């Protein structure tokens, strides 16, 4: 391409940068020309939609200034590549010309901001961007010679930050007019900004695609979950829910899609479905920042053997640190009907088995009592005859029978605990209220417990005169027996066990202290749970099923009392206590 043709294509007259020497009017005309020209180039770059179009705009502009055989754009790389090199030839180039181009680009790059780029790396990374329309503009391209005659390198910079390098090459010498350098720099700046914009746009698009992919993935996971899941906004209106959750709402005849933006509590208030209100309440709790775990929600009809039961967990969706209140709530509902069914079957089985055990136990207890009385009578008789009782075989037999009696009592308590387990579970712990003296009951339990141990000294400390109470005698005996069993079991080295009866306002207060292994504070929240047993080195060796305290609590609470634990002041052993109203509270009478 001849230089004259460059000038004729350009809207900028030749020597625009030298024209300041002309008259004032001339200068004004030149300035206007310059502005128009820059405006035209600016528009070309702004119109570009991808980086190849930026390349075209750059090429078209440079062609108006210079004749050149190839242009190269080296850019700092993305996606882990150190750089990207585009070579845009204007006609077929010889390989030696190309090689030299790459050598020169590498050298120039090392000087600006690409310290360790080697020609080999560049050769591997380079790609050719030879647009068809450029080929058309040059119908008969001259075949390139093998050597570079002239070249021009310009850094591509955005706000003083170097993002790449622009290079032009020609076979002929002296083609790159230094007088056009200033203008070329402006063009390079335009190109740099346009390329940087494209890069930002590409990055943004990639991030968007990634986010979209994540969103779809999450949607798939949520929709295929076995649990029902729903997400609300800060007002408690459902913004997203999966298929299972949708089915649940359908059961309640609510189509959440028909009422977007309506808080769940409003939907619940309008409906007469009880579980919907509970669900709305849980959502509202989560919206105040609380986390709710595994709360039971009965969905099915109450008449069914085991109604459809869900376990509901909810958590607040926190916003950024500027917003103290949650931006929404996420709720997960898990179908636990099968588990409930199995629990019920298990409880029924335990109940049936313990019932069957009771009958032979009653016989054992009855006949033992009969034998004990006979032996006691005989021994009294022989005592009257003046014989030394300690040598009599009956004396030994009686002691043995006391142990049988005590063990039978222990066994009966275990069976009762098992039997009561299902009653407590299903709220059918019926109490048989009768009047009796608590002091007598405690004395009896102390005697039975003492018969079974020689290491312990079990003392009764009665601090009330009148211990008359109206309660379920057998069950209160079960409570005292359970706590006494533990006091002996968990103080293997022996020691004192004190059973104390005090008055506390309208209630009696019964406490049982031992000098045993005690309960570490971290377990205290759990020891009254069903089947809970402390499993540390100190308690592992003792047998038990973890029901005694659970049943004891249920019985005490059914009487309107309270059961608890207090560590002894000495730091050794435990004290379990429970309160018992003297007369049944109206709510407990039934
Ligand atoms: P278990 O059959 O295991 O004795 P319980 O329900 O009676 O079940 O008691 C629950 C747990 O509480 C026991 O496993 C034990 O670790 C602890 N515990 C109960 N009573 C005492 C006590 N007097 N001293 C120390 N630990 C006790």
């Amino acid at each position: 391409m001849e230089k004259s043709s460059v000038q004729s294509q350009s809207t900028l007259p030749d020597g625009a940068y030298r024209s300041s020497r002309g008259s004032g009017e001339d200068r004004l005309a030149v300035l206007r020309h310059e502005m128009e020209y820059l405006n035209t180039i600016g528009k070309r770059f702004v119109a570009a939609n991808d980086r190849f179009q930026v390349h075209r705009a750059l090429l078209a502009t440079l062609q108006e200034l210079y004749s050149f055989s190839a242009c190269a754009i080296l850019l700092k790389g993305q996606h882990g590549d150190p750089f990207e090199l585009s070579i845009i030839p204007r006609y077929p180039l010889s390989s030696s010309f190309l090689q030299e181009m790459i050598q020169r680009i590498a050298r120039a790059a090392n000087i600006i901001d690409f310290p360790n780029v080697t020609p080999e790396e560049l050769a591997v990374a380079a790609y050719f961007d030879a647009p068809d329309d450029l080929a058309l503009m040059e119908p008969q391209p001259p075949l390139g010679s093998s050597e570079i005659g002239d070249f021009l390198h310009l850094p591509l910079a955005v706000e003083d930050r170097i993002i790449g390098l622009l290079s032009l090459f020609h076979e002929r010498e002296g083609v790159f007019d230094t007088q056009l350098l200033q203008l070329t720099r402006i063009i390079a700046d335009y190109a740099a900004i346009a390329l940087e914009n494209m890069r930002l746009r590409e990055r943004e698009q990639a991030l968007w695609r990634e986010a979209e992919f994540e969103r779809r993935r999450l949607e798939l996971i949520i929709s295929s979950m076995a649990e029902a899941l729903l997400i609300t906004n800060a007002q408690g209106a459902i913004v997203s829910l999966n298929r299972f959750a949708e089915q649940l709402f359908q059961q309640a005849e609510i189509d959440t899609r028909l009422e977007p933006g309506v808080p769940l509590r409003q939907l619940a208030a309008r409906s007469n479905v009880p579980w919907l209100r509970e669900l709305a309440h849980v959502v509202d709790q989560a919206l105040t920042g609380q986390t709710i775990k595994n709360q039971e929600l009965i969905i099915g009809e109450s008449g069914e053997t085991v109604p459809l039961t869900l376990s509901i967990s909810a958590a607040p969706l926190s916003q950024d640190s500027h917003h103290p209140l949650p931006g929404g709530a996420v709720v997960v509902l898990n179908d636990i009907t099968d588990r409930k069914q199995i629990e019920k079957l298990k409880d029924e089985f335990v109940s049936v088995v313990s019932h069957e055990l009771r009958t032979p136990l009653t016989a054992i207890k009855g006949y033992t009592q009969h034998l004990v009385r006979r032996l006691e009578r005989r021994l009294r008789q022989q005592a009257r005859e003046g014989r030394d009782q300690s040598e009599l075989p009956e004396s030994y037999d009686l002691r043995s029978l006391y142990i049988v009696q005590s063990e039978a009592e222990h066994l009966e308590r275990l069976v009762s605990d098992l039997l009561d387990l299902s009653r407590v579970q299903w709220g059918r712990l019926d109490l048989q209220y009768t009047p009796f003296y608590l002091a007598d009951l405690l004395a009896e339990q102390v005697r039975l417990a003492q018969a079974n141990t020689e290491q312990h000294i079990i003392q009764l400390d009665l601090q009330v005169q009148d211990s008359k109470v109206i309660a379920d005698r057998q069950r209160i005996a079960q409570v005292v027996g359970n706590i006494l069993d533990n006091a002996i079991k968990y103080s293997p080295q022996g020691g004192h066990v004190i059973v104390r009866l005090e008055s506390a306002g309208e209630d009696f207060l019964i406490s049982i202290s031992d000098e045993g292994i005690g309960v570490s504070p971290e377990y205290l929240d759990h020891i009254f749970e069903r089947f809970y047993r402390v499993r540390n080195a100190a308690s592992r060796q003792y047998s038990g099923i973890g029901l005694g305290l659970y049943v004891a609590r249920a019985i005490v609470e059914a009487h309107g009392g309270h059961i608890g634990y207090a560590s002894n002041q000495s730091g050794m052993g435990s004290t379990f206590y429970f309160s018992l109203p003297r007369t049944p509270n109206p709510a407990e009478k039934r």
Side-chain angles (χ1 to χ4, degrees):
M1 193 193 297
E2 290 299 314
K3 216 166 197 175
S4 57
S5 72
V6 174
Q7 285 154 11
S8 62
Q9 279 177 25
S10 169
T11 47
L12 185 72
D14 182 30
Y17 285 83
R18 280 170 277 155
S19 60
S20 54
R21 271 171 280 146
S23 72
E25 220 170 273
D26 280 356
R27 278 214 305 277
L28 219 64
V30 167
L31 207 64
R32 216 185 61 235
H33 251 83
E34 272 184 32
M35 296 295 286
E36 275 171 14
Y37 179 69
L38 290 178
N39 199 15
T40 318
I41 322 172
K43 279 184 185 155
R44 278 182 200 159
F45 284 111
V46 169
N49 270 327
D50 60 36
R51 69 166 125 157
F52 300 106
Q53 289 182 9
V54 177
H55 290 179
R56 305 288 168 280
L58 179 63
L59 228 62
T61 310
L62 290 173
Q63 276 184 123
E64 290 168 5
L65 301 185
Y66 305 109
S67 159
F68 56 91
S69 358
C71 162
I73 300 166
L74 177 67
L75 285 177
K76 294 208 165 152
Q78 300 190 86
H79 314 301
D81 296 333
F83 49 79
E84 291 162 9
L85 175 64
S86 313
I87 293 180
I88 313 163
R90 303 216 38 248
Y91 38 79
L93 303 168
S94 69
S95 64
S96 58
F97 186 92
L98 259 173
Q99 261 177 18
E100 201 183 332
M101 256 177 76
I102 286 178
Q103 300 264 0
R104 287 190 183 279
I105 294 171
R107 232 172 290 152
N110 287 166
I111 297 168
I112 56 166
D113 209 18
F114 296 80
N116 298 318
V117 174
T118 64
E120 291 72 27
E121 283 171 319
L122 283 182
V124 172
Y127 70 88
F128 283 82
D129 175 19
D132 298 342
D133 51 342
L134 277 190
L136 284 176
M137 283 169 68
E138 200 67 49
Q140 284 167 321
L143 259 179
S145 84
S146 57
E147 281 185 17
I148 290 176
D150 199 2
F151 59 86
L152 179 66
H153 294 299
L154 281 175
L156 291 167
V158 177
E159 292 171 353
D160 292 340
R161 186 166 48 86
I162 291 182
I163 64 157
L165 174 77
L166 169 69
S167 311
L168 295 176
F169 300 92
H170 205 297
E171 294 90 356
R172 283 211 314 273
E173 286 179 22
V175 283
F176 298 118
D177 187 346
T178 49
Q179 290 183 346
L180 288 174
L181 206 56
Q182 202 177 345
L183 184 59
T184 318
R185 275 206 192 105
I186 295 175
I187 294 168
D189 283 349
Y190 276 0
I193 290 170
L195 285 168
E196 184 69 354
N197 280 347
M198 287 310 145
R199 189 182 284 221
L200 289 176
R201 196 192 291 180
E202 275 170 23
R203 196 177 310 159
E204 193 181 302
Q205 280 170 351
L207 284 176
W208 189 85
R209 272 197 301 274
E210 225 170 87
E212 182 61 16
F213 175 74
E214 271 306 309
R215 195 184 64 78
R216 278 168 200 262
R217 206 165 68 111
L218 217 66
E219 223 171 60
L220 194 73
I221 293 172
I222 288 172
S223 65
S224 54
M225 267 168 72
E227 291 84 11
L229 180 128
L230 59 105
I231 297 169
T232 75
N233 62 14
Q235 286 70 45
I238 294 173
V239 288
S240 167
L241 76 174
N242 68 358
R243 221 173 309 146
F244 186 7
E246 220 170 278
Q247 284 166 3
L248 270 181
F249 284 109
Q250 273 165 11
Q251 264 192 35
E253 290 177 2
I254 285 179
D255 191 341
T256 47
R257 283 166 305 183
L258 293 182
E259 312 205 52
V262 180
L264 202 56
R265 77 185 80 80
Q266 269 181 35
L267 294 179
R270 263 191 262 147
S271 128
N272 54 3
V273 178
W275 65 260
L276 207 57
R277 289 175 196 202
E278 280 182 59
L279 179 64
H281 179 62
V282 168
V283 167
D284 285 345
Q285 280 176 298
L287 288 176
T288 62
Q290 296 175 56
T291 301
I292 293 95
K293 275 193 192 150
N294 301 328
Q295 192 168 310
E296 267 181 32
L297 190 67
I298 296 176
I299 307 278
E301 300 291 322
S302 55
E304 294 168 30
T305 39
V306 178
L308 174 62
T309 311
L310 302 185
S311 154
I312 174 169
S313 299
L317 276 175
S318 51
Q319 306 188 67
D320 50 50
S321 51
H322 304 297
H323 294 84
L325 277 181
V330 55
V331 183
V332 179
L333 297 133
N334 202 356
D335 188 348
I336 54 165
T337 318
D338 285 351
R339 206 173 78 200
K340 286 270 148 193
Q341 178 93 42
I342 291 167
E343 266 175 28
K344 188 162 187 250
L345 282 176
K346 190 187 70 194
D347 290 346
E348 279 168 3
F349 169 77
V350 169
S351 161
V352 168
V353 170
S354 32
H355 231 285
E356 291 302 309
L357 286 174
R358 256 218 163 138
T359 322
L361 250 177
T362 312
I364 293 171
K365 269 181 67 182
Y367 286 113
T368 319
Q369 182 135 25
H370 168 74
L371 287 174
V372 163
R373 284 207 189 114
R374 251 175 63 176
L375 280 175
E376 280 174 347
R377 256 200 317 274
R378 199 176 299 166
L379 279 168
R380 275 199 299 275
Q381 173 79 32
Q382 286 170 347
R384 276 199 293 276
E385 290 166 8
R387 300 175 64 173
D388 181 3
Q389 290 196 13
S390 58
E391 284 177 10
L392 293 174
E394 285 90 342
S395 187
Y396 175 81
D397 291 349
L398 187 62
R399 279 204 304 279
S400 308
L401 276 177
Y402 279 152
I403 293 174
V404 173
Q405 208 175 24
S406 166
E407 289 295 349
E409 286 282 340
H410 183 198
L411 194 58
E412 189 178 39
R413 267 198 301 282
L414 271 178
V415 171
S416 298
D417 286 351
L418 282 171
L419 205 56
D420 286 343
L421 171 68
S422 61
R423 293 194 180 127
V424 172
Q425 281 289 99
W426 298 95
R428 291 197 307 257
L429 198 66
D430 296 327
L431 301 179
Q432 308 295 324
Y433 283 94
T434 48
F436 64 94
Y437 290 100
L438 252 183
D440 290 351
L441 181 143
L442 294 177
E444 188 180 291
Q445 290 299 317
V446 166
R447 184 181 65 76
L448 284 167
Q450 187 68 77
N452 227 0
T453 172
E454 283 173 359
Q455 276 169 298
H456 300 83
I457 299 167
I458 310 177
Q459 290 169 318
L460 186 59
D461 178 9
L462 298 174
Q463 307 222 349
V464 290
Q465 294 291 331
D466 179 11
S467 67
K468 193 169 168 200
V469 71
I470 301 177
D472 186 324
R473 192 181 199 285
Q474 207 178 340
R475 291 201 189 276
I476 296 299
Q478 195 179 341
V479 173
V480 176
N482 280 352
I483 302 178
L484 257 177
D485 275 351
N486 284 346
I488 291 165
K489 180 163 66 173
Y490 295 109
S491 52
Q493 78 288 6
H496 286 84
V497 174
I498 299 168
V499 181
R500 184 169 291 133
L501 175 65
E502 292 164 81
S503 191
E506 287 299 294
D507 296 349
F508 286 114
L509 187 72
I510 298 103
S511 58
I512 297 168
S513 315
D514 63 59
E515 298 172 336
I517 60 171
V519 183
S520 313
E522 69 262 35
Y523 301 115
L524 286 180
D525 281 346
H526 302 291
I527 52 175
F528 291 97
E529 288 168 11
R530 88 187 171 137
F531 295 121
Y532 187 85
R533 308 206 62 224
V534 175
R535 294 191 194 279
N536 59 13
S539 58
R540 202 168 292 139
Q541 67 222 57
Y542 308 111
S543 66
I545 52 176
L547 270 188
L549 291 180
Y550 172 74
V551 171
R553 183 175 73 174
I555 294 174
V556 168
E557 288 178 356
H559 278 87
H562 170 74
I563 191 166
Y565 173 92
S567 55
N568 290 342
Q569 276 172 353
S570 62
M572 278 262 298
S574 332
T575 297
F576 282 86
Y577 63 86
F578 67 94
S579 62
L580 186 66
R582 286 168 204 260
T583 50
N585 292 334
E588 275 83 41
K589 236 182 237 166
R590 269 173 294 183

